[in-house]
Coordinates of all heavy atoms in Angstrom, one line a residue:
M1 N 117.9 118.2 91.5 CA 117.5 117.3 92.6 C 116.0 117.1 92.5 O 115.5 116.0 92.8 CB 117.9 118.0 94.0 CG 119.3 117.7 94.4 SD 119.7 118.1 96.1 CE 118.5 119.2 96.7
A2 N 115.2 118.1 92.1 CA 113.8 117.9 92.1 C 113.4 116.9 90.9 O 112.5 116.1 91.2 CB 113.1 119.3 91.7
L3 N 114.1 116.9 89.9 CA 113.9 116.0 88.8 C 114.2 114.6 89.3 O 113.4 113.6 89.0 CB 114.7 116.3 87.5 CG 114.5 115.4 86.3 CD1 113.0 115.4 85.9 CD2 115.3 115.9 85.1
R4 N 115.2 114.4 89.9 CA 115.6 113.0 90.5 C 114.5 112.6 91.5 O 114.2 111.4 91.5 CB 117.0 113.0 91.1 CG 118.1 113.0 90.0 CD 119.4 112.6 90.6 NE 119.8 113.4 91.8 CZ 120.6 114.5 91.6 NH1 120.9 115.0 90.5 NH2 120.9 115.2 92.7
A5 N 114.1 113.5 92.3 CA 113.0 113.2 93.3 C 111.8 112.7 92.6 O 111.1 111.7 93.0 CB 112.8 114.2 94.2
A6 N 111.4 113.5 91.6 CA 110.2 113.1 90.8 C 110.3 111.8 90.1 O 109.3 111.0 90.1 CB 109.9 114.2 89.8
E7 N 111.5 111.5 89.6 CA 111.7 110.1 88.9 C 111.6 109.0 90.0 O 111.0 108.0 89.7 CB 113.1 110.2 88.3 CG 113.1 111.0 87.1 CD 114.6 111.2 86.5 OE1 115.6 110.8 87.2 OE2 114.7 111.6 85.4
K8 N 112.1 109.2 91.2 CA 112.0 108.2 92.3 C 110.6 108.0 92.7 O 110.1 106.8 92.9 CB 112.9 108.6 93.5 CG 114.4 108.7 93.2 CD 114.9 107.3 93.1 CE 116.4 107.4 92.9 NZ 117.1 106.1 92.5
L9 N 109.8 109.1 92.8 CA 108.4 109.0 93.2 C 107.7 108.3 92.0 O 106.8 107.4 92.3 CB 107.8 110.3 93.4 CG 108.2 111.0 94.7 CD1 107.6 112.4 94.8 CD2 107.6 110.2 95.9
F10 N 107.9 108.6 90.8 CA 107.3 107.9 89.7 C 107.6 106.4 89.7 O 106.8 105.5 89.4 CB 107.5 108.5 88.4 CG 106.7 108.0 87.3 CD1 105.4 108.4 87.2 CD2 107.2 107.1 86.3 CE1 104.6 107.9 86.1 CE2 106.4 106.6 85.3 CZ 105.1 107.0 85.2
L11 N 108.9 106.1 90.0 CA 109.3 104.7 90.1 C 108.5 104.0 91.2 O 108.1 102.8 91.0 CB 110.8 104.6 90.3 CG 111.3 103.1 90.4 CD1 111.0 102.2 89.2 CD2 112.8 103.2 90.8
A12 N 108.4 104.6 92.3 CA 107.7 104.0 93.4 C 106.2 103.8 93.0 O 105.6 102.7 93.4 CB 107.7 104.9 94.6
R13 N 105.6 104.7 92.4 CA 104.2 104.5 91.9 C 104.1 103.5 90.9 O 103.1 102.7 90.8 CB 103.7 105.9 91.3 CG 103.5 107.0 92.5 CD 103.1 108.3 92.0 NE 101.9 108.3 91.1 CZ 101.7 109.2 90.2 NH1 102.6 110.2 89.9 NH2 100.6 109.1 89.5
T14 N 105.0 103.4 90.0 CA 105.0 102.3 89.0 C 105.1 100.9 89.6 O 104.4 100.0 89.3 CB 106.2 102.5 88.0 OG1 106.1 103.8 87.4 CG2 106.3 101.4 86.9
L15 N 106.0 100.8 90.6 CA 106.2 99.5 91.3 C 104.9 99.1 92.1 O 104.5 98.0 92.1 CB 107.4 99.6 92.2 CG 108.7 99.6 91.5 CD1 109.9 99.9 92.4 CD2 109.0 98.3 90.6
A16 N 104.3 100.2 92.7 CA 103.0 99.9 93.5 C 101.9 99.5 92.5 O 101.1 98.7 92.8 CB 102.7 101.2 94.2
A17 N 101.9 100.2 91.4 CA 100.8 99.8 90.3 C 101.0 98.4 89.9 O 100.0 97.6 89.8 CB 100.9 100.7 89.1
E18 N 102.3 97.9 89.7 CA 102.5 96.5 89.3 C 102.1 95.6 90.4 O 101.4 94.6 90.2 CB 104.0 96.4 88.9 CG 104.4 97.0 87.7 CD 105.9 96.9 87.4 OE1 106.6 96.2 88.2 OE2 106.4 97.6 86.5
L19 N 102.5 95.9 91.7 CA 102.2 95.1 92.8 C 100.7 94.9 93.0 O 100.2 93.8 93.3 CB 102.8 95.7 94.1 CG 102.5 94.9 95.4 CD1 103.2 93.6 95.4 CD2 103.0 95.9 96.6
F20 N 99.9 96.0 92.9 CA 98.5 95.9 93.1 C 97.7 95.7 91.8 O 96.4 95.9 91.8 CB 98.0 97.1 93.8 CG 98.6 97.2 95.2 CD1 99.5 98.2 95.6 CD2 98.2 96.3 96.2 CE1 100.1 98.2 96.8 CE2 98.7 96.3 97.5 CZ 99.7 97.3 97.8
S21 N 98.4 95.5 90.7 CA 97.7 95.3 89.4 C 96.8 96.5 89.0 O 95.8 96.3 88.4 CB 96.8 94.0 89.4 OG 97.6 92.9 89.7
A22 N 97.3 97.7 89.3 CA 96.7 98.9 88.8 C 97.0 99.1 87.4 O 98.1 98.6 86.9 CB 97.1 100.1 89.6
P23 N 96.1 99.8 86.6 CA 96.3 99.9 85.2 C 97.5 100.7 84.9 O 98.1 100.5 83.8 CB 95.1 100.7 84.6 CG 94.1 100.7 85.8 CD 94.8 100.3 87.1
S24 N 98.0 101.7 85.7 CA 99.1 102.6 85.4 C 99.5 103.3 86.7 O 98.8 103.3 87.6 CB 98.8 103.5 84.4 OG 97.9 104.5 84.8
A25 N 100.7 103.8 86.7 CA 101.3 104.6 87.8 C 100.4 105.8 88.1 O 100.4 106.3 89.2 CB 102.8 104.9 87.6
E26 N 99.8 106.3 87.0 CA 99.0 107.5 87.2 C 97.8 107.2 88.1 O 97.1 108.1 88.5 CB 98.5 108.0 85.9 CG 99.6 108.7 85.1 CD 100.5 107.7 84.4 OE1 100.3 106.5 84.2 OE2 101.6 108.2 83.9
R27 N 97.4 106.0 88.3 CA 96.2 105.6 89.1 C 96.6 105.4 90.5 O 95.8 105.0 91.4 CB 95.6 104.3 88.6 CG 95.1 104.5 87.1 CD 93.9 105.5 87.0 NE 92.8 105.1 87.8 CZ 91.7 104.5 87.3 NH1 91.6 104.2 86.1 NH2 90.7 104.3 88.1
V28 N 98.0 105.5 90.9 CA 98.5 105.4 92.2 C 98.7 106.7 92.9 O 99.3 107.6 92.3 CB 99.8 104.5 92.2 CG1 100.4 104.4 93.6 CG2 99.5 103.2 91.6
V29 N 98.1 106.8 94.1 CA 98.3 108.1 94.9 C 99.1 107.8 96.1 O 98.8 106.8 96.8 CB 97.0 108.7 95.2 CG1 97.1 109.9 96.1 CG2 96.1 109.0 94.0
L30 N 100.1 108.6 96.4 CA 100.9 108.4 97.6 C 100.4 109.5 98.5 O 100.1 110.7 98.1 CB 102.4 108.6 97.3 CG 103.0 107.6 96.3 CD1 104.5 107.9 96.0 CD2 102.8 106.2 96.9
S31 N 100.1 109.2 99.8 CA 99.7 110.2 100.8 C 100.5 110.2 102.0 O 101.5 109.5 102.2 CB 98.2 109.8 101.1 OG 98.2 108.7 101.9
L32 N 100.2 111.2 102.9 CA 101.0 111.3 104.1 C 101.0 110.1 105.0 O 102.0 109.7 105.6 CB 100.4 112.5 104.9 CG 100.4 113.9 104.2 CD1 99.7 114.9 105.0 CD2 101.8 114.3 104.0
N33 N 99.8 109.4 105.1 CA 99.7 108.2 105.9 C 98.3 107.6 105.6 O 97.5 108.0 104.8 CB 99.8 108.6 107.4 CG 98.8 109.7 107.8 OD1 97.6 109.6 107.5 ND2 99.2 110.7 108.5
A34 N 98.1 106.4 106.3 CA 96.9 105.6 106.0 C 95.6 106.4 106.4 O 94.6 106.3 105.7 CB 97.0 104.3 106.7
T35 N 95.7 107.1 107.5 CA 94.5 107.9 108.0 C 94.1 108.9 106.9 O 92.9 109.0 106.6 CB 94.7 108.5 109.3 OG1 94.9 107.4 110.3 CG2 93.5 109.4 109.8
Y36 N 95.0 109.7 106.5 CA 94.8 110.7 105.5 C 94.2 110.1 104.2 O 93.2 110.5 103.6 CB 96.0 111.5 105.2 CG 95.9 112.6 104.1 CD1 95.4 113.8 104.5 CD2 96.1 112.3 102.8 CE1 95.2 114.8 103.6 CE2 95.9 113.4 101.8 CZ 95.5 114.6 102.3 OH 95.3 115.6 101.4
C37 N 94.8 109.0 103.7 CA 94.3 108.3 102.6 C 92.9 107.7 102.7 O 92.1 107.9 101.7 CB 95.3 107.2 102.2 SG 95.1 106.6 100.5
L38 N 92.6 107.1 103.9 CA 91.3 106.6 104.0 C 90.3 107.7 104.1 O 89.2 107.6 103.5 CB 91.2 105.9 105.4 CG 91.8 104.5 105.3 CD1 92.0 103.9 106.7 CD2 90.9 103.5 104.5
N39 N 90.6 108.9 104.7 CA 89.6 110.0 104.8 C 89.4 110.5 103.3 O 88.3 110.8 103.0 CB 90.2 111.1 105.7 CG 89.9 110.9 107.1 OD1 88.9 111.5 107.6 ND2 90.8 110.1 107.8
L40 N 90.5 110.7 102.6 CA 90.4 111.2 101.2 C 89.5 110.3 100.4 O 88.6 110.7 99.6 CB 91.8 111.3 100.6 CG 92.0 111.9 99.2 CD1 91.5 113.3 99.2 CD2 93.4 111.7 98.8
S41 N 89.7 108.9 100.5 CA 89.0 108.0 99.8 C 87.6 107.9 100.1 O 86.7 108.0 99.2 CB 89.6 106.6 99.9 OG 91.0 106.6 99.5
I42 N 87.3 107.8 101.4 CA 85.8 107.7 101.8 C 85.1 109.0 101.5 O 84.0 108.9 100.9 CB 85.8 107.4 103.3 CG1 86.3 106.0 103.5 CG2 84.4 107.5 103.8 CD1 86.6 105.7 105.0
L43 N 85.6 110.2 101.8 CA 85.0 111.4 101.5 C 84.8 111.7 100.0 O 83.9 112.3 99.6 CB 85.6 112.5 102.3 CG 85.6 112.5 103.8 CD1 86.5 113.5 104.4 CD2 84.1 112.5 104.3
G44 N 85.7 111.1 99.2 CA 85.7 111.3 97.8 C 84.8 110.4 97.0 O 84.4 110.7 95.9
I45 N 84.6 109.2 97.6 CA 83.8 108.1 96.9 C 82.4 108.0 97.3 O 81.5 107.8 96.4 CB 84.6 106.8 97.1 CG1 85.9 106.8 96.3 CG2 83.8 105.6 96.5 CD1 86.8 105.6 96.6
V46 N 82.1 108.1 98.5 CA 80.7 107.9 99.0 C 79.8 109.0 98.7 O 80.0 110.2 99.1 CB 80.7 107.6 100.5 CG1 79.3 107.4 101.1 CG2 81.6 106.4 100.9
P47 N 78.8 108.8 97.8 CA 77.8 109.8 97.4 C 76.9 110.3 98.6 O 76.6 109.4 99.5 CB 77.1 109.3 96.3 CG 77.6 107.9 96.1 CD 78.5 107.5 97.2
E48 N 76.4 111.5 98.5 CA 75.5 111.9 99.4 C 74.2 111.0 99.4 O 73.9 110.4 98.4 CB 75.0 113.4 99.1 CG 76.1 114.4 99.4 CD 75.6 115.8 99.2 OE1 74.3 116.0 99.2 OE2 76.4 116.7 99.0
K49 N 73.6 110.8 100.6 CA 72.4 110.1 100.8 C 72.5 108.6 100.3 O 71.5 108.0 100.0 CB 71.2 110.8 100.1 CG 71.0 112.2 100.6 CD 69.8 112.9 99.9 CE 69.6 114.2 100.5 NZ 68.7 115.0 99.7
S50 N 73.7 108.1 100.4 CA 73.9 106.7 100.2 C 74.0 105.8 101.5 O 73.9 106.4 102.5 CB 75.2 106.4 99.3 OG 76.3 106.8 100.1
H51 N 74.1 104.5 101.3 CA 74.2 103.7 102.4 C 75.5 103.0 102.4 O 76.0 102.4 101.4 CB 73.1 102.7 102.4 CG 73.0 101.9 103.7 ND1 72.5 102.4 104.9 CD2 73.3 100.6 104.0 CE1 72.6 101.5 105.9 NE2 73.1 100.3 105.3
V52 N 76.2 102.8 103.6 CA 77.5 102.3 103.7 C 77.4 101.1 104.7 O 76.8 101.2 105.8 CB 78.5 103.3 104.2 CG1 79.9 102.7 104.5 CG2 78.6 104.5 103.3
L53 N 78.1 100.0 104.4 CA 78.3 98.9 105.4 C 79.7 98.9 105.9 O 80.6 98.9 105.1 CB 78.0 97.5 104.7 CG 76.5 97.3 104.3 CD1 76.5 95.9 103.6 CD2 75.6 97.2 105.6
I54 N 79.9 98.8 107.2 CA 81.3 98.8 107.8 C 81.3 97.7 108.8 O 80.2 97.3 109.4 CB 81.7 100.1 108.4 CG1 80.7 100.6 109.4 CG2 81.9 101.2 107.3 CD1 81.1 101.9 110.1
S55 N 82.4 97.1 109.0 CA 82.6 96.1 110.0 C 82.7 96.6 111.4 O 83.1 97.7 111.6 CB 83.7 95.1 109.7 OG 84.9 95.7 110.0
D56 N 82.5 95.7 112.3 CA 82.7 96.1 113.8 C 84.2 96.2 114.1 O 84.5 96.5 115.3 CB 82.0 95.1 114.7 CG 82.5 93.7 114.6 OD1 83.4 93.4 113.8 OD2 81.9 92.8 115.3
M57 N 85.1 96.0 113.2 CA 86.5 96.1 113.5 C 87.2 97.3 112.8 O 88.4 97.4 112.9 CB 87.2 94.8 113.0 CG 86.8 93.6 113.7 SD 87.6 92.1 113.2 CE 89.2 92.5 113.8
E58 N 86.4 98.2 112.3 CA 87.0 99.3 111.6 C 87.7 100.2 112.5 O 87.3 100.5 113.7 CB 85.9 100.1 110.9 CG 85.2 99.4 109.8 CD 86.1 98.8 108.7 OE1 87.2 99.4 108.5 OE2 85.7 97.9 108.0
H59 N 88.8 100.8 112.0 CA 89.6 101.8 112.8 C 88.9 103.1 112.8 O 88.0 103.4 111.9 CB 90.9 101.9 112.0 CG 91.9 102.7 112.8 ND1 92.1 104.1 112.5 CD2 92.9 102.4 113.6 CE1 93.0 104.6 113.3 NE2 93.5 103.6 114.0
N60 N 89.2 104.0 113.7 CA 88.7 105.3 113.8 C 88.8 106.1 112.5 O 88.0 106.9 112.2 CB 89.3 106.0 115.0 CG 88.6 107.2 115.5 OD1 87.3 107.2 115.5 ND2 89.3 108.2 115.9
S61 N 89.8 105.8 111.8 CA 90.1 106.6 110.5 C 89.0 106.2 109.5 O 88.9 106.9 108.5 CB 91.5 106.3 110.0 OG 91.7 104.9 109.7
V62 N 88.3 105.2 109.7 CA 87.1 104.8 108.8 C 85.8 105.4 109.4 O 85.0 106.0 108.8 CB 87.0 103.3 108.6 CG1 85.7 103.0 107.9 CG2 88.2 102.8 107.8
L63 N 85.7 105.2 110.7 CA 84.4 105.6 111.4 C 84.2 107.1 111.4 O 83.0 107.5 111.2 CB 84.4 105.1 112.9 CG 84.5 103.6 113.1 CD1 84.7 103.2 114.6 CD2 83.3 102.9 112.5
R64 N 85.3 107.9 111.6 CA 85.1 109.3 111.6 C 84.5 109.9 110.4 O 83.6 110.7 110.4 CB 86.3 110.0 112.1 CG 86.6 109.7 113.6 CD 87.7 110.4 114.2 NE 87.3 111.8 114.4 CZ 87.8 112.6 115.2 NH1 88.9 112.2 115.9 NH2 87.4 113.9 115.3
P65 N 85.1 109.6 109.2 CA 84.6 110.2 107.9 C 83.2 109.7 107.6 O 82.4 110.4 107.1 CB 85.6 109.8 106.9 CG 86.4 108.8 107.4 CD 86.4 108.9 108.9
V66 N 82.9 108.4 108.0 CA 81.5 107.9 107.8 C 80.6 108.6 108.7 O 79.5 108.9 108.2 CB 81.5 106.3 108.0 CG1 80.1 105.8 107.9 CG2 82.3 105.6 106.9
E67 N 80.9 108.8 109.9 CA 80.0 109.6 110.8 C 79.8 111.0 110.3 O 78.8 111.6 110.4 CB 80.6 109.5 112.2 CG 79.8 110.3 113.2 CD 78.4 109.8 113.4 OE1 78.1 108.7 113.1 OE2 77.5 110.7 113.8
Y68 N 80.9 111.6 109.8 CA 80.8 113.0 109.2 C 79.7 113.0 108.0 O 78.9 113.8 108.0 CB 82.1 113.5 108.7 CG 82.0 114.7 107.8 CD1 82.1 116.0 108.4 CD2 81.9 114.6 106.5 CE1 81.9 117.2 107.7 CE2 81.8 115.8 105.7 CZ 81.8 117.0 106.3 OH 81.7 118.1 105.6
L69 N 79.8 112.0 107.2 CA 78.9 111.8 106.1 C 77.5 111.6 106.6 O 76.6 112.1 106.0 CB 79.4 110.7 105.1 CG 80.6 111.0 104.4 CD1 81.1 109.6 103.7 CD2 80.5 112.1 103.4
R70 N 77.3 110.9 107.6 CA 76.0 110.7 108.2 C 75.4 112.0 108.7 O 74.3 112.4 108.4 CB 76.0 109.7 109.4 CG 74.6 109.5 109.9 CD 74.7 108.7 111.3 NE 75.2 109.6 112.3 CZ 74.5 110.5 113.0 NH1 73.3 110.7 112.7 NH2 75.1 111.2 114.0
R71 N 76.2 112.8 109.4 CA 75.7 114.1 110.0 C 75.5 115.1 109.0 O 74.5 115.9 109.1 CB 76.8 114.6 111.0 CG 76.9 113.8 112.2 CD 77.8 114.4 113.2 NE 78.0 113.5 114.4 CZ 78.8 113.9 115.4 NH1 79.4 115.0 115.4 NH2 78.9 113.0 116.4
Y72 N 76.3 115.2 108.0 CA 76.3 116.4 107.1 C 75.9 116.1 105.6 O 75.6 117.0 104.9 CB 77.6 117.1 107.1 CG 78.0 117.6 108.4 CD1 79.0 117.0 109.2 CD2 77.3 118.7 109.0 CE1 79.3 117.5 110.5 CE2 77.6 119.1 110.4 CZ 78.6 118.5 111.0 OH 79.0 118.9 112.2
K73 N 75.9 114.8 105.2 CA 75.6 114.5 103.8 C 74.5 113.4 103.6 O 74.2 113.0 102.5 CB 76.9 113.9 103.1 CG 78.0 114.9 103.2 CD 77.8 116.1 102.4 CE 79.1 117.0 102.4 NZ 78.9 118.2 101.6
G74 N 73.8 113.2 104.7 CA 72.7 112.3 104.6 C 73.0 110.8 104.4 O 72.1 110.0 104.0
V75 N 74.2 110.4 104.6 CA 74.5 109.0 104.4 C 74.1 108.2 105.7 O 74.2 108.7 106.8 CB 76.1 108.9 104.2 CG1 76.6 107.5 104.3 CG2 76.6 109.5 103.0
T76 N 73.6 107.0 105.4 CA 73.3 106.1 106.5 C 74.3 105.0 106.5 O 74.9 104.7 105.4 CB 71.9 105.5 106.3 OG1 71.8 104.9 105.0 CG2 70.8 106.6 106.4
Y77 N 74.4 104.3 107.6 CA 75.4 103.2 107.6 C 74.9 102.1 108.6 O 74.2 102.5 109.6 CB 76.8 103.6 107.9 CG 77.1 104.1 109.3 CD1 77.5 103.3 110.3 CD2 77.0 105.5 109.6 CE1 77.9 103.8 111.6 CE2 77.3 106.0 110.8 CZ 77.7 105.1 111.8 OH 78.0 105.6 113.0
D78 N 75.3 100.9 108.4 CA 75.1 99.8 109.3 C 76.5 99.1 109.6 O 77.4 99.2 108.7 CB 74.2 98.8 108.7 CG 72.7 99.2 108.7 OD1 72.3 99.6 109.8 OD2 72.1 99.1 107.7
V79 N 76.6 98.6 110.8 CA 77.8 97.9 111.2 C 77.5 96.5 111.2 O 76.5 96.1 111.9 CB 78.3 98.4 112.5 CG1 79.6 97.7 113.0 CG2 78.5 99.9 112.5
F80 N 78.2 95.6 110.6 CA 78.0 94.2 110.6 C 79.1 93.6 111.5 O 80.2 94.0 111.6 CB 78.0 93.5 109.2 CG 79.3 93.7 108.5 CD1 80.3 92.7 108.6 CD2 79.5 94.7 107.6 CE1 81.5 92.8 107.9 CE2 80.8 94.8 106.9 CZ 81.7 93.8 107.1
S81 N 78.7 92.4 112.1 CA 79.6 91.7 113.0 C 80.6 90.8 112.2 O 80.2 90.2 111.2 CB 78.7 90.8 113.9 OG 79.6 90.0 114.7
T82 N 81.8 90.7 112.8 CA 82.8 89.9 112.1 C 82.8 88.5 112.9 O 83.7 87.7 112.6 CB 84.1 90.6 112.1 OG1 84.5 90.9 113.4 CG2 84.1 91.7 111.1
D83 N 81.9 88.3 113.8 CA 81.8 87.0 114.5 C 81.0 86.1 113.7 O 79.9 86.4 113.1 CB 81.2 87.2 115.9 CG 82.1 87.9 116.9 OD1 83.3 87.8 116.7 OD2 81.6 88.5 117.9
G84 N 81.4 84.8 113.6 CA 80.6 83.8 112.9 C 80.7 83.9 111.4 O 81.8 84.3 110.9
D85 N 79.6 83.8 110.7 CA 79.6 83.8 109.2 C 79.5 85.2 108.8 O 78.4 85.8 108.9 CB 78.4 82.9 108.7 CG 78.5 82.7 107.2 OD1 79.0 83.7 106.5 OD2 78.1 81.7 106.8
I86 N 80.6 85.8 108.2 CA 80.6 87.2 108.0 C 79.7 87.5 106.8 O 79.0 88.5 106.8 CB 82.1 87.7 107.6 CG1 82.9 87.6 108.9 CG2 82.1 89.1 107.1 CD1 84.4 87.8 108.7
L87 N 79.6 86.6 105.8 CA 78.7 86.9 104.7 C 77.2 86.9 105.1 O 76.5 87.7 104.6 CB 78.9 85.8 103.6 CG 80.2 85.9 102.8 CD1 80.3 84.8 101.8 CD2 80.4 87.3 102.1
E88 N 76.9 86.0 106.0 CA 75.5 86.1 106.6 C 75.3 87.3 107.3 O 74.2 87.9 107.2 CB 75.2 84.8 107.5 CG 75.0 83.5 106.7 CD 74.6 82.4 107.7 OE1 74.3 82.7 108.9 OE2 74.7 81.3 107.2
N89 N 76.3 87.8 108.1 CA 76.1 89.0 108.8 C 76.0 90.2 108.0 O 75.2 91.1 108.3 CB 77.3 89.2 109.7 CG 77.4 88.1 110.8 OD1 76.5 87.4 111.1 ND2 78.6 87.9 111.4
I90 N 76.7 90.2 106.8 CA 76.5 91.3 105.9 C 75.2 91.3 105.3 O 74.6 92.3 105.2 CB 77.6 91.3 104.8 CG1 79.0 91.6 105.4 CG2 77.3 92.2 103.6 CD1 80.2 91.3 104.5
E91 N 74.7 90.1 104.8 CA 73.3 90.0 104.3 C 72.3 90.5 105.3 O 71.3 91.1 104.9 CB 73.1 88.6 103.8 CG 74.0 88.2 102.6 CD 73.7 86.8 102.2 OE1 73.1 86.0 102.9 OE2 74.4 86.4 101.2
A92 N 72.4 90.1 106.5 CA 71.5 90.5 107.5 C 71.4 92.0 107.7 O 70.4 92.6 108.0 CB 71.8 89.8 108.9

């Protein structure tokens, strides 16, 4: 049963890799839920003392890890507005 389950998971990762044009199934990670995956990604990718831009529409699952990084890792961040010309707002 374990082997069959592993094969099914690998098939799911392979199909996801194809769907998102990932180089291979080994580059696809399945997680418990979107919040867990966002936390894992943000905390794993954003270097200490860097700067992050986030939109004013971000979910709490984005805001909380970014705020943690601000408090404990020296990361700064700005929030840009999604009203009007978004590219101009990001540049500002």
Side-chain angles (χ1 to χ4, degrees):
M1 277 191 343
L3 182 57
R4 283 197 306 271
E7 288 170 346
K8 295 289 185 188
L9 283 173
F10 189 75
L11 176 60
R13 291 172 57 206
T14 300
L15 293 172
E18 290 174 12
L19 178 65
F20 295 109
S21 300
S24 69
E26 287 79 15
R27 302 294 300 261
V28 174
V29 176
L30 301 176
S31 71
L32 299 172
N33 54 48
T35 297
Y36 181 84
C37 196
L38 282 166
N39 278 263
L40 183 67
S41 299
I42 293 167
L43 295 174
I45 291 173
V46 178
E48 289 187 20
K49 299 180 183 173
S50 62
H51 188 75
V52 176
L53 291 175
I54 56 177
S55 80
D56 59 1
M57 296 183 67
E58 296 302 337
H59 187 270
N60 197 36
S61 58
V62 171
L63 298 174
R64 292 185 75 155
V66 171
E67 178 60 22
Y68 169 86
L69 291 170
R70 184 194 69 80
R71 289 183 186 182
Y72 300 106
K73 302 293 181 177
V75 169
T76 57
Y77 70 91
D78 284 307
V79 179
F80 64 89
S81 173
T82 55
D83 288 335
D85 189 327
I86 295 175
L87 291 177
E88 282 184 17
N89 296 341
I90 290 172
E91 289 174 0

